[in-house]
Amino acid sequence: MRVFVTGASGWIASAVVPELLTAGHQVLGLARSDAAAAKVAALGADVQHGDLNDLEGLRAAAAASDGVVHLGYNHDFSQMSAAADTDRSVIDAFGEVLAGSDRPLLIASGVLGLANGRTATEDDRPDAAAHPRVANAAATLALADRGVRSIVVRFAPTVHGEGDYGFTRMLAGIAREKGVSAYVGDGANVWPAVHRLDAGSLVAGAIDRASAGTILHATAEEGVPSREIAEAIGRSLDLPVKSIPADQAVGHFGWIGPIFAADSPTTSEKTRRLLDWHPTHNTLIEDLDAGYYSSPR
């Protein structure tokens, strides 16, 4: 199978590409810069130069491929609305090309906010009006009715590993700046987590095994208590650890405060059964204790 991958040089996709190649697929990776192109080529993939705004180029690449893994996204939180609009345009473009072909289209979504007061599952279908990315996921799933093998992978908020620049890196940076590693309230609320290499193997397996309209959860750990995360950050940075009241979360953490304070247990039981997926890499706490977050990026 020839698979077109957007965001191919990115944090998750750069773990997906080797998995696809190992499985015997050919990979065409989208790269928007010379540096990204060099990274994609080093992974062993062919390179298509361009970006997510080049819809004609994306359509042509999808038309020449047997499937699409769409992981490219602008994660600048100051441009969330524009990023979601671009993402929807890309999904619609891929849907037009793949309609009636039963070729796979896999996109990324997230698990935060799926359920309140209980463990979220792959069966949860949040209201599309809740967030533009939720609406984009729903639009992708609806492509199953048009003959597209549509797949949505909901990733844990923490996709960790050496070189991670996401939420956990932000929390470590805040702790370094404030001189204390904090958690909110009693710290019993949990974050799901997955190692990027386990996430990569899940996506590659989904391209081969998942049927149209499938939702998968890339969560190796159902939920890591935020207090344990804060304690591990404290150990890695040799900083004290303390609780802060919920009404001070934004003041201490900034915009990430309510996210870190959220309680989001999420199971991946159905995903594991469907794909025979067995995460084997480090847990989040093991990566924190390994020192991957102890120095500034």
Side-chain angles (χ1 to χ4, degrees), residues 71-73 75 84 87 107-110 128 131-138:
L71 298 178
Y73 197 85
H75 290 282
D87 189 50
I107 74 150
S109 189
H131 190 278
R133 290 203 78 180
V134 176
N136 291 353

Side-chain angles (χ1 to χ4, degrees), residues 5-73:
V5 179
T6 70
S9 65
W11 176 241
I12 297 174
S14 62
V16 172
V17 170
E19 292 284 348
L20 289 169
L21 293 169
T22 297
H25 301 303
Q26 295 178 315
V27 177
L28 174 64
L30 183 67
R32 64 180 179 176
S33 68
D34 290 342
K39 184 173 181 179
V40 172
L43 292 171
D46 296 330
V47 177
Q48 169 148 329
H49 292 268
D51 60 33
L52 297 179
N53 294 305
D54 179 15
L55 295 182
E56 288 307 311
L58 298 180
R59 288 189 184 97
S65 300
D66 301 303
V68 176
V69 172
H70 172 44
L71 298 178
Y73 197 85

Side-chain angles (χ1 to χ4, degrees), residues 269-281:
E269 183 179 346
K270 290 186 68 173
T271 299
R272 293 173 191 244
R273 289 200 308 267
L274 176 65
L275 303 183
D276 194 26
W277 180 58
H278 304 285
T280 60
H281 292 88

Side-chain angles (χ1 to χ4, degrees), residues 239-263:
L239 291 174
V241 179
K242 76 170 186 178
S243 167
I244 61 171
D247 61 3
Q248 296 178 22
V250 173
H252 183 88
F253 292 103
W255 62 266
I256 199 176
I259 298 175
F260 189 44
D263 189 40

Side-chain angles (χ1 to χ4, degrees), residues 146-157:
R146 296 175 55 195
V148 179
R149 185 154 62 87
S150 54
I151 305 160
V152 171
V153 178
R154 294 172 178 159
F155 289 93

